[in-house]
Amino acid sequence: MNKIDLAFTPALELAKLIRVREVSPLELVEVYLERIERLNPQLGSYFTVTADLAVTDAIAKTELLTTTSELPPFFGVPISIKDLNVVAGVTCTYGNPALLNNIPNYDDGVVTRIKQAGFIILGKTATPELGSFPYTEPVGFTPARNPWNLEYTPGGSSGGAASSVAAGLSAIAQGSDGGGSIRGPAACCGLVGIKPARGRVTKAPVGDRLGGIAVNGPIARTVADAAAMLDVISGYFTGDPYWLPDPQPSFLASTQVKLENLNIAFSTNIFPFGEADANCQQGVIKTIQLLEQFGHQITEKSPDLSNLIEPFKIVWQAGVAAAGIPSEALQPLNRWLLAKSGSVAEYLQALAQMQIVSRQIIAFFDTVDVLVLPVYLHSPIPVGAWADLSPEETFAKIVHWVSPCPVANATGLPAIALPVGFDSNGLPLSVQLIGKPAAESTLISLAAQLEAANPWIQYRPAFATIS
């Protein structure tokens, strides 16, 4: 297998190749580090590359292969970590250049699980400042670009994570999603992204933050890779304020479960924002046609999301204030959001209102198994497209673009983004599936059915396949 093929091989297959000694962890790490050195200056996928740490870990794991057969599931497989998550001894900037000297001495809980699963960390991926935006162009850093077309964004806030996987700069990636930040980049870059149910994946060392709207999750090339990663990062972590029991069967095993006769709803209209553009509508309709062929019951309807918008915006804005970074150190849009942040009482009132509306939305799923929506309301924007707008204009455009996503964050429902083709600009086209509470297994089974009918793994960005 040549180096390009290795770089685009699914993570589970890489783990198997390591186990049968067809490739070593060190050989794999060297493949990815060479690609990062060559392609990252144009892509901006990584803020920090931990080459020395990765090589040291890979050497130790390669030596361990000769002495033990008891290996964790992703032993020796390279992964990237989003720069909103803490890795001991590695710079964590949160997308703010003033924090380039911020080197924590502990791991986030999800990073602990990733290390326990045997992954090798290649570095920290690019994110917009504080993870606030659905594009990844933080001041003071190289903007992250979409490997399918470098003129376009890979999305945000897990933009670097998604572009790293899509370009073959990591085998799989950790991301986080507080308003579409896994699903959007996965959609922009033609990947599978799972936004887990609330309580599925730990937020340690913190607990409940912003009402639990943000969760950690996987970004991967295949449904099976994403499911297997979700298996290893899931579960109770000491002191978690809420958690979910382990699934039966595992999420990976759910990829082999064939579901029949589900009640599936869909919509391409997000009230009050209106219809998705023609490309995004096409993705939903194409998916619904496949689901109908599988024998599922299809209805065009969706819950009313209109009363969710204002309280969610207030809760989201509070995240900027909670970061504790002085206004003068923030870029203009976050500075504007900070200035708009209300009192503690206003935040708590908005949180309560968001939870009340969420109960009403979750009731929609009493008679619906899965809701199919566009991921975003229109195709990816060019890099820098909104750079000259006022903060108020930019925020309005952001709210409109990502409007299909926050419903899963506010309610805590699981969701998955899945590639289904290409749009009229040659960029990846995706849909999202939203499920009942704690029902990731249903979404994974359904996504695996769709993936089998419309395989995506065969496609690679031309930019990333030049040796």
Side-chain angles (χ1 to χ4, degrees), residues 348-368:
L348 291 175
Q349 288 165 357
L351 186 60
Q353 183 61 27
M354 186 179 75
Q355 291 167 344
I356 290 169
V357 176
S358 292
R359 288 181 185 272
Q360 298 165 358
I361 293 170
I362 292 169
F364 173 84
F365 288 87
D366 289 346
T367 56
V368 168

Side-chain angles (χ1 to χ4, degrees), residues 434-448:
I434 301 175
K436 290 175 177 285
E440 292 98 326
S441 294
T442 298
L443 299 182
I444 288 167
S445 297
L446 201 60

Side-chain angles (χ1 to χ4, degrees), residues 218-237:
I219 298 175
R221 292 195 180 89
T222 67
V223 175
D225 276 3
M229 181 172 164
L230 185 56
D231 278 324
V232 301
I233 63 176
S234 293
Y236 176 75
F237 207 94

Side-chain angles (χ1 to χ4, degrees), residues 260-285:
E260 297 179 350
N261 203 33
L262 293 178
N263 290 315
I264 297 177
F266 78 97
S267 181
T268 58
N269 189 304
I270 307 299
F271 183 82
F273 300 100
E275 283 281 353
D277 73 2
N279 285 312
C280 296
Q281 287 184 46
Q282 174 197 346
V284 171
I285 298 305

Side-chain angles (χ1 to χ4, degrees), residues 450-466:
L450 290 165
E451 181 183 59
N454 183 28
W456 180 266
I457 191 68
Q458 60 188 307
Y459 301 114
R460 298 174 184 176
F463 162 80
T465 57
I466 301 171

